[in-house]
Amino acid sequence: MEDRIFSSRMKVDFNEEIRGLSVHLLRFFLSPKPYKLESNRIYEVTMAEEVEGVQVLVDALVEQGVEYMFGIVGIPVVEVAVVAQQAGIKYVGMRNEQAACYAAQAIGYLTGRPGVCLVVSGPGLLNVIGGLANAQINCWPLLVIGGSSDVDQEGMGAFQECPQVESCRLYCKYTARPPTIASIPYHVAKAVKCTTYGRPGAAYLDFPGNILSGKVDNSLVQYSPKCPPPPIMLSCPEAVKEAVDLLSKAKRPLVIIGKGAAYGRAEEQVNAFIEKTGFPFLPTPMGKGVVPDDHSQCVAAARSKALLEADVILLLGARLNWILHFGRPPRYAPDVKFIHVDICAEEFHNSVNESVTLLGDIKAVTKQLVSAVPGCLIQKKSPWWKNLSEKSKANKQINDEMAKDMGEPLNYYAVLDTVNTLIPKDAIIVSEGANTMDIGRTMLLNKLPRHRLDAGTFGTMGVGLGFAIAAALWTRDYAPGKKVICVEGDSAFGFSGMEMETIYRYNLPIVVIIVNNNGIYGGLDDETFSDIREGMDNTIATPPTSLLPCVHYERIVTAFDDVGYFCKKIEDLTASCVQALSNKDRPAVINVMINPMAQRKAQDFDWLTRSKL
């Protein structure tokens, strides 16, 4: 048959023919598939293949190197988890969205690439807001993927309809709802880039059900190549020289090592700087292990004195926030000078005006400093070192005396000292709780970087088991045989205790040690608890900080055909730890009862030290 285009012998809709021809021309130029021309018409050799949105999403995640996904499935994201597993992404189903979010961000911290948290619409998404905020403030890479109601039902009261993108925007570096299936790879790539470039943080991508279940011509989907690691940025040489000049003149120098140095994999450079200069150093909680806690130049035992009397302080990946008391008096000398190394310029001069700022990658800038310093800048015989050593010795003696007090009921120091003695020196320690975590920072030593995970900058409780699950997966895949020890207060354990089922379901050999004082900060013993409530309304008589005394949290494992450990004596704790650690293939829960009134040793300052404006 003669071609019908432009034919005057056939009654056709001219505009329709032109429109059809335009579509074929567009496909001809954009599609990699073979086409041929016949009688002035363009014919496709093969029929175009269609691909579902869920497959495009998973393929984009695989392209970006996503290895782990944590979440709770439901409408409309069930297929995302199934397809992700088929594509080789390791999916861990959790019991609570917050815990899933904590696990995803912890794996991001440990690997340097964002973990994915997969959640359903409405309440499921809102349950991860706390986790998003924690990742953003902790500066850990995280990508949350949320399902949402179909676009064509918006405003009509759709199932679990919620302004999800807007809800997450406050707590993310990047939020988006890909408008089409074909645009999904672009937004996935951009989200991954935003979570890792500059200061790491969180991103959220929203996927309506009709986008996930919809289909598109595969030829229209263009996948972005894997986002490369962040570019390495050096600091200005003049600023480095200025910093070294200031450090060389310091009489009482101090280095503070933050978790930014741990995340930046700068341990080799930081160790070289500490060794070359002879400077004393303090680690922040998750900066522990960048230089081993038992290093001779670690003055953590004299923390208050070191902060108060230092005249020049070098901040390596640490921020002058509440953890470091804002860099202000009374915790610091009024005339102290700060040298600040950070990847984010906006962090400089945030609390106090700093003398020198070094903008750049922590590993690269520390290497610059190592090259620039002439050698040892302070001798161990100096008055500064003598004062710090004396204070460290005195404080260690107090801790040792409390650790030796093994009478019943037990105290924190005796329990944590025993745990520190028994666990492997290369174990990853996860810790949360009030006194359990604070005292644990002193008593539980780290020799390696990224081997301590705790409440962090946001001070978030409930992170423990999620963090431990992530750590156990990381050790399984990257450091087989390494132990994960999760040390929690009884209150902290209660936030996510049902994640023990997750731990048993995936057979993760995590040793959970619950330091049980019957309450928040402190509780009551069984007799006092009963006496004060006798004959009264329990909601009036029960102190807000009290939990039910002597709860057998270890019995939760009986639901999984296992036996937990209940301890009141150091001998019981020692035997339980030895047995739990010897079992390489199963989790364990050890519940240690301590004195409900047990506290940390007296502090020179308020724990927070209110800001003095």
Side-chain angles (χ1 to χ4, degrees):
M1 177 183 292
E2 293 183 2
D3 181 53
R4 294 184 298 161
I5 298 181
F6 307 121
S7 173
S8 61
R9 292 176 295 174
M10 305 217 30
K11 295 180 180 180
V12 296
D13 186 334
F14 180 77
N15 291 330
E16 183 177 342
E17 288 286 349
I18 291 297
R19 194 159 46 243
L21 178 60
S22 298
V23 171
H24 282 296
L25 284 171
L26 182 64
R27 289 184 176 178
F28 175 77
F29 288 112
L30 294 182
S31 175
K33 296 180 180 180
Y35 282 77
K36 67 179 180 180
L37 289 171
E38 287 185 7
S39 303
N40 299 322
R41 291 296 299 269
I42 302 171
Y43 294 89
E44 188 175 350
V45 174
T46 58
M47 294 295 292
E49 295 180 2
E50 289 189 320
V51 60
E52 286 190 339
V54 63
Q55 187 67 57
V56 174
L57 170 59
V58 170
D59 288 346
L61 293 173
V62 171
E63 192 71 30
Q64 293 305 317
V66 169
E67 188 176 357
Y68 300 93
M69 180 182 289
F70 306 82
I72 298 177
V73 296
I75 297 172
V77 298
V78 176
E79 292 81 7
V80 176
V82 173
V83 175
Q85 287 181 315
Q86 293 171 346
I89 294 176
K90 299 160 187 173
Y91 176 80
V92 178
M94 306 283 284
R95 300 304 299 268
N96 180 277
E97 288 90 354
Q98 274 198 5
C101 198
Y102 297 144
Q105 63 194 259
I107 207 73
Y109 172 67
L110 293 169
T111 65
R113 300 289 293 188
V116 168
C117 178
L118 178 69
V119 295
V120 300
S121 53
L125 183 279
L126 294 177
N127 280 344
V128 306
I129 295 292
L132 274 172
N134 190 70
Q136 182 72 357
I137 294 172
N138 251 2
C139 307
W140 287 0
L142 165 71
L143 173 57
V144 173
I145 291 175
S148 59
S149 51
D150 290 2
V151 174
D152 60 358
Q153 297 175 353
E154 284 189 353
M156 300 169 62
F159 175 68
Q160 296 184 337
E161 183 177 353
C162 177
Q164 297 180 182
V165 177
E166 293 85 348
S167 297
C168 295
R169 187 166 285 127
L170 282 174
Y171 311 101
C172 293
K173 292 181 68 179
Y174 181 71
T175 59
R177 170 188 283 184
T180 64
I181 295 173
S183 66
I184 290 174
Y186 167 81
H187 288 283
V188 170
K190 186 169 182 179
V192 169
K193 182 187 72 173
C194 288
T195 64
T196 54
Y197 277 43
R199 172 159 286 169
Y204 173 68
L205 293 179
D206 191 73
F207 291 94
N210 59 315
I211 290 289
L212 292 174
S213 62
K215 295 183 179 181
V216 70
D217 186 334
N218 197 28
S219 65
L220 299 179
V221 181
Q222 300 296 320
Y223 290 92
S224 301
K226 182 179 180 180
C227 179
I232 302 300
M233 182 169 59
L234 294 171
S235 192
C236 171
E238 287 78 11
V240 174
K241 182 179 184 302
E242 186 180 355
V244 171
D245 289 344
L246 185 57
L247 290 169
S248 299
K249 297 173 184 176
K251 301 297 184 182
R252 299 180 302 280
L254 179 68
V255 179
I256 298 179
I257 303 170
K259 70 172 175 289
Y263 178 83
R265 274 66 177 167
E267 50 267 22
E268 180 181 343
Q269 292 73 22
V270 174
N271 273 270
F273 181 82
I274 294 296
E275 295 282 354
K276 187 173 183 180
T277 60
F279 285 166
F281 74 90
L282 285 174
T284 64
M286 277 188 278
K288 286 164 58 70
V290 172
V291 181
D293 284 345
D294 58 1
H295 193 283
S296 62
Q297 289 166 240
C298 180
V299 291
R303 184 178 187 271
S304 293
K305 187 178 187 66
L307 294 179
L308 180 61
E309 298 184 10
D311 60 355
V312 178
I313 296 178
L314 173 63
L315 300 166
L316 295 177
R319 293 176 280 176
L320 289 175
N321 51 27
W322 69 273
I323 292 177
L324 291 177
H325 317 288
F326 315 107
R328 299 177 178 183
R331 295 302 298 261
Y332 295 81
D335 58 349
V336 63
K337 295 178 173 59
F338 289 99
I339 301 168
H340 194 172
V341 181
D342 205 283
I343 194 69
C344 179
E346 287 80 1
E347 189 60 40
F348 296 143
H349 315 299
N350 192 45
S351 178
V352 297
N353 286 329
E354 293 150 343
S355 299
V356 184
T357 57
L358 301 175
L359 179 65
D361 175 79
I362 184 71
K363 182 189 294 187
V365 175
T366 307
K367 188 175 182 179
Q368 286 181 283
L369 289 170
V370 173
S371 299
V373 293
C376 182
L377 299 179
I378 188 168
Q379 299 294 327
K380 277 293 186 74
K381 296 180 181 180
S382 69
W384 177 230
W385 259 117
K386 181 180 179 182
N387 290 339
L388 291 176
S389 297
E390 289 176 352
K391 185 63 174 178
S392 293
K393 184 177 179 180
N395 283 343
K396 287 179 180 177
Q397 185 173 353
I398 295 173
N399 290 343
D400 289 345
E401 289 175 358
M402 297 179 74
K404 292 176 182 177
D405 179 8
M406 299 183 182
E408 297 179 45
L410 297 170
N411 67 68
Y412 286 103
Y413 293 84
V415 169
L416 295 173
D417 182 64
T418 300
V419 171
N420 182 67
T421 301
L422 295 172
I423 64 176
K425 301 310 176 187
D426 66 344
I428 293 182
I429 300 171
V430 180
S431 185
E432 64 169 332
N435 289 334
T436 299
M437 181 177 65
D438 291 341
I439 300 171
R441 289 168 176 166
T442 300
M443 304 300 294
L444 301 175
L445 303 183
N446 290 96
K447 297 182 71 70
L448 297 171
R450 298 171 297 282
H451 278 55
R452 180 181 175 87
L453 303 171
D454 69 16
T457 309
F458 207 32
T460 308
M461 289 296 120
V463 298
L465 293 184
F467 282 3
I469 288 169
L473 290 169
W474 182 83
T475 59
R476 183 197 68 180
D477 296 341
Y478 292 94
K482 191 182 292 287
K483 287 290 185 181
V484 176
I485 312 297
C486 185
V487 184
E488 307 222 315
D490 50 330
S491 173
F493 179 76
F495 279 88
S496 53
M498 276 311 299
E499 296 302 337
M500 286 305 306
E501 188 274 331
T502 307
I503 291 171
Y504 272 86
R505 186 172 4 122
Y506 292 98
N507 198 30
L508 301 174
I510 300 166
V511 178
V512 179
I513 301 174
I514 302 169
V515 183
N516 189 348
N517 70 346
N518 299 338
I520 303 168
Y521 304 115
L524 300 172
D525 60 47
D526 198 14
E527 183 177 353
T528 305
F529 185 81
S530 298
D531 288 346
I532 66 171
R533 302 189 338 153
E534 185 175 359
M536 294 187 65
D537 184 333
N538 288 343
T539 62
I540 300 297
T542 306
T545 60
S546 292
L547 299 174
L548 191 66
C550 301
V551 173
H552 283 266
Y553 294 106
E554 81 284 353
R555 291 179 182 171
I556 191 173
V557 303
T558 62
F560 319 119
D561 294 326
D562 203 355
V563 178
Y565 305 91
F566 183 74
C567 309
K568 286 188 173 182
K569 301 178 180 180
I570 287 297
E571 293 83 355
D572 299 336
L573 175 60
T574 299
S576 299
C577 284
V578 170
Q579 187 170 346
L581 289 167
S582 66
N583 192 340
K584 299 180 180 179
D585 301 321
R586 287 186 66 81
V589 175
I590 302 173
N591 184 18
V592 188
M593 300 304 305
I594 67 168
N595 187 340
M597 295 292 107
Q599 298 292 328
R600 57 189 305 191
K601 68 180 179 66
Q603 302 297 296
D604 294 330
F605 294 91
D606 178 270
W607 73 276
L608 182 61
T609 309
R610 301 296 186 250
S611 174
K612 305 299 182 182
L613 297 177

